[in-house]
């Protein structure tokens, strides 16, 4: 959602229920004067349904939408995710109130690689800034994320992307130039420049989680092209790879804000195997100098958390087991004993809270009764009715 004149413009998103999900590509406007929603129907071909896309307002008053994520079911219990990298312009037609039009655009320059979970903020000169994210590599039964920590800028005036490469501390560069005693000359010098410009730099980091698990993160960085001082390219690369140039570790879903030309970055998450590790470090970058990140709050491995998914069905079974008489039986007999024992209603609990807590249990029960071919709406309606009947009886 973005603020556009006296309106808030909202695009897309997704909704996930117990058994299904749906992605949207519709557009709504919220009038800040009347406090009323209205649905827009732009002409032209717009983005396909998606969530998590970049949305920003250009200096010309149009709205840019970039990227996003969606998934679709390819067969039973198998979903395929898509990380979108297309870009669209949503523009209000002049002299026609409430009339909007979609236009697909193809910016030039160095475009971000496909990813999701990236963060967006408005940089100085009305440029859109994009940071980090994760590129999911999906196979039939596995999903592995390649986390990123790079910067990109989109200039709407020029319709161009460019990478946000840091210059590094000036004082260190001066020292390195003073220490250079010999430089390649002629053809050799040119060959060195070309090799430096083309050879990618592999940066390897090891992240240690709270339980001692070591996660190795590899990132390929493209070396900057030849400049007026080619010797600094060769001198910088090994030393920067060694660690003097401070930068946030790769992550997705970081918090971004820009104030007085400074970019502030907080937290985010990365995955360590099956664990999602949350971060609480804090960085700042001067967007005018673009020299180096400043650490405001360092990452403390002792305070990092990993979020473990819990099986809601196991949780419901556990609630049923609280009132059971035989807790130490084998798994099969335990399930048989607990199945007729519905999740208990706690004293003073409202039905809405009870349903939210136990919905998956009732849906499973309703699906078992109705069969796997039953429609989702019918199953959900039956599940809610069963839950309401039990709740009323308990009350």
């Amino acid at each position: 959602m973005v603020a556009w004149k006296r309106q808030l413009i909202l695009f897309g998103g997704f909704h996930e229920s117990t058994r299904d999900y749906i992605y949207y590509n519709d557009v709504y406007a919220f009038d800040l004067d009347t406090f009323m929603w209205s649905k827009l129907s732009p002409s032209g071909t717009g983005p396909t349904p998606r969530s998590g896309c970049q949305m920003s307002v250009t200096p010309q008053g149009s709205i840019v939408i970039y990227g996003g994520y969606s998934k679709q079911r390819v067969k039973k219990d198998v979903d395929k995710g898509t990380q979108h990298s297309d870009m669209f312009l949503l523009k209000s037609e002049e002299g026609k109130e409430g009339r909007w039009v979609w236009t697909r655009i193809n910016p030039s320059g160095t475009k971000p690689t496909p990813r999701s979970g990236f963060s967006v903020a408005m940089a100085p000169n009305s440029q859109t800034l994009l940071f980090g994210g994760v590129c999911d590599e999906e196979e039939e039964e596995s999903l592995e994320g390649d986390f990123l920590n790079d910067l990109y800028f989109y200039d709407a005036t020029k319709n161009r992307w460019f990478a946000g490469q840091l210059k590094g501390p000036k004082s260190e560069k001066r020292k390195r130039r003073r220490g250079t005693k010999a430089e390649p000359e002629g053809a050799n010098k040119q060959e060195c420049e070309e090799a430096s410009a083309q050879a990618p730099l592999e940066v390897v980091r090891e992240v240690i989680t709270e339980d001692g698990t070591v996660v190795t993160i590899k990132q390929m960085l493209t070396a900057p092209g030849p400049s007026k001082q080619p010797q600094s390219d060769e001198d910088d690369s090994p030393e920067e790879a060694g660690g003097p140039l401070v930068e946030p570790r790769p992550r997705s879903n970081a918090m971004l804000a820009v104030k007085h030309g400074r970019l502030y970055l907080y937290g985010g998450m990365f995955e360590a195997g099956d664990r999602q590790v949350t971060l609480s470090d804090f960085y700042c970058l001067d967007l005018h100098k673009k020299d180096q990140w400043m650490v405001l709050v360092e990452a403390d491995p002792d305070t990092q958390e990993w979020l473990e998914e819990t099986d809601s069905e196991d949780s419901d079974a556990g609630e049923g087991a609280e009132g059971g008489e035989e807790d130490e039986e084998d798994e099969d007999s335990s399930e048989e004993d607990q199945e007729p024992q519905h999740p208990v209603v706690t004293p003073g609990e409202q039905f809405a809270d009870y349903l939210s807590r136990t919905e998956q249990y009732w849906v499973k029960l309703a699906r078992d009764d109705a069969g796997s071919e039953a429609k989702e709406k019918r199953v959900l309606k039956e599940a809610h009715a069963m839950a309401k009947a039990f709740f009323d009886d308990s009350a």
Side-chain angles (χ1 to χ4, degrees):
M1 184 167 64
V2 293
W4 182 85
K5 297 184 178 179
R6 294 291 301 168
Q7 298 182 77
L8 302 178
I9 308 297
L10 180 146
F11 166 80
F14 80 104
H15 170 77
E16 188 166 1
S17 62
T18 308
R19 296 284 180 180
D20 207 356
Y21 53 82
I22 182 171
Y23 286 81
Y24 299 96
N25 63 345
D26 45 7
V27 185
Y28 286 84
F30 182 77
D31 192 303
L32 293 172
D33 295 319
T34 63
F35 279 21
M36 297 290 292
W37 282 104
S38 61
K39 185 174 182 178
L40 306 182
S41 301
S43 59
T45 303
T48 56
R50 64 192 63 189
S51 68
C53 52
Q54 164 195 317
M55 206 170 174
S56 58
V57 180
T58 70
Q60 296 79 18
S62 300
I63 297 173
V64 168
I65 292 179
Y66 166 76
Y69 177 84
S70 65
K71 62 181 180 180
Q72 60 182 2
R73 187 152 293 154
V74 293
K75 58 183 180 180
K76 186 177 180 181
D77 297 329
V78 177
D79 299 324
K80 179 175 176 59
T82 300
Q83 294 169 120
H84 301 280
S85 57
D86 46 4
M87 202 163 189
F88 293 83
L89 206 63
L90 180 60
K91 186 176 181 181
S92 175
E93 296 189 45
E94 294 183 8
K96 299 180 181 179
E97 187 176 353
R99 297 287 297 274
W100 295 74
V101 60
W102 283 113
T103 305
R104 181 165 181 167
I105 56 177
N106 186 24
S108 59
T110 306
K111 303 176 184 178
T113 55
R115 66 191 68 194
S116 59
F118 53 80
S119 306
V120 174
M122 292 304 297
N125 302 322
S126 299
Q127 295 178 345
T128 302
L129 180 152
L130 182 150
F131 171 83
V134 57
C135 178
D136 289 332
E137 299 177 3
E138 295 187 64
E139 296 183 1
E140 186 72 17
E141 298 294 338
S142 65
L143 174 66
E144 185 175 349
D146 182 17
F147 288 81
L148 306 164
N149 66 344
D150 45 3
L151 273 174
Y152 287 89
F153 293 85
Y154 173 68
D155 190 323
T157 304
K158 300 178 181 178
N159 191 27
R160 181 181 181 86
W161 282 102
F162 60 94
Q165 296 178 342
L166 303 187
K167 302 173 184 176
K170 291 184 178 180
S171 57
E172 292 184 10
K173 286 191 173 183
R174 289 198 190 100
K175 291 178 183 177
R176 287 198 287 270
R177 286 200 289 270
R178 288 196 199 103
T180 303
K181 295 182 180 179
E183 297 181 5
E185 298 180 358
N188 293 335
K189 180 176 180 180
Q190 185 176 358
E191 290 174 2
C192 289
E193 291 179 15
E194 294 175 355
S196 175
Q198 296 174 359
L201 177 66
E202 183 180 60
V203 179
V204 181
R205 297 178 177 82
E206 288 189 348
V207 179
I208 303 177
T209 61
E210 62 177 351
D211 66 345
T213 304
V214 178
V215 182
T216 302
I217 300 175
K218 293 183 180 180
Q219 184 182 10
M220 299 301 295
L221 301 178
T222 304
S227 62
K228 296 180 181 179
Q229 297 162 336
Q231 71 274 16
S232 64
D233 289 345
E234 294 183 348
D235 292 340
D236 288 353
S237 297
E239 295 188 29
E240 289 178 0
L245 192 60
V246 176
E247 59 182 352
R249 69 180 62 184
R251 66 192 68 196
S252 67
N253 301 310
M255 302 294 103
L256 293 186
V258 175
K259 183 70 172 178
H260 298 316
R262 293 179 179 270
L263 170 66
Y264 295 91
L265 183 150
Y266 172 78
M269 61 80 63
F270 69 94
E271 294 174 355
D274 293 333
R275 297 180 172 185
Q276 295 182 351
V277 182
T278 58
L279 301 168
S280 60
D281 46 359
F282 203 3
Y283 292 84
C284 177
L285 174 67
D286 190 323
L287 294 176
H288 297 294
K289 297 179 180 178
K290 293 180 189 171
D291 51 357
Q292 62 178 336
W293 286 96
M294 293 185 294
V295 182
L296 303 181
V297 178
E298 293 185 356
D300 184 0
D302 294 334
T303 62
Q304 288 176 1
E305 301 178 59
W306 62 273
L307 307 179
E308 183 178 24
E309 292 186 1
T310 57
D311 188 350
S312 58
E313 294 182 3
D314 291 345
S315 175
D316 290 339
E319 291 171 1
E322 289 178 2
E325 297 177 1
E326 299 176 356
D327 295 335
E328 298 180 3
E329 292 185 10
D330 61 78
E331 198 170 310
D332 294 335
S333 62
S334 175
E335 288 180 357
E336 292 176 0
D337 292 342
Q338 293 171 11
E339 189 171 352
Q341 297 181 10
H342 304 316
V344 297
V345 179
T346 59
E349 187 174 26
Q350 300 296 317
F351 175 68
D353 297 329
Y354 176 78
L355 181 63
S356 176
R357 176 168 63 85
T358 64
E359 184 179 37
Q360 290 192 10
Y361 169 84
W362 295 105
V363 168
K364 183 177 184 300
L365 207 60
R367 186 171 295 282
D368 291 341
D369 291 343
S372 59
E373 300 300 324
K375 292 185 178 180
E376 188 65 31
K377 287 185 178 180
R378 176 190 167 191
V379 171
L380 196 60
K381 185 177 180 180
E382 180 67 21
H384 287 186
M386 294 168 67
K388 186 69 167 64
F390 178 77
F391 181 86
D392 292 341
D393 290 343
S394 300

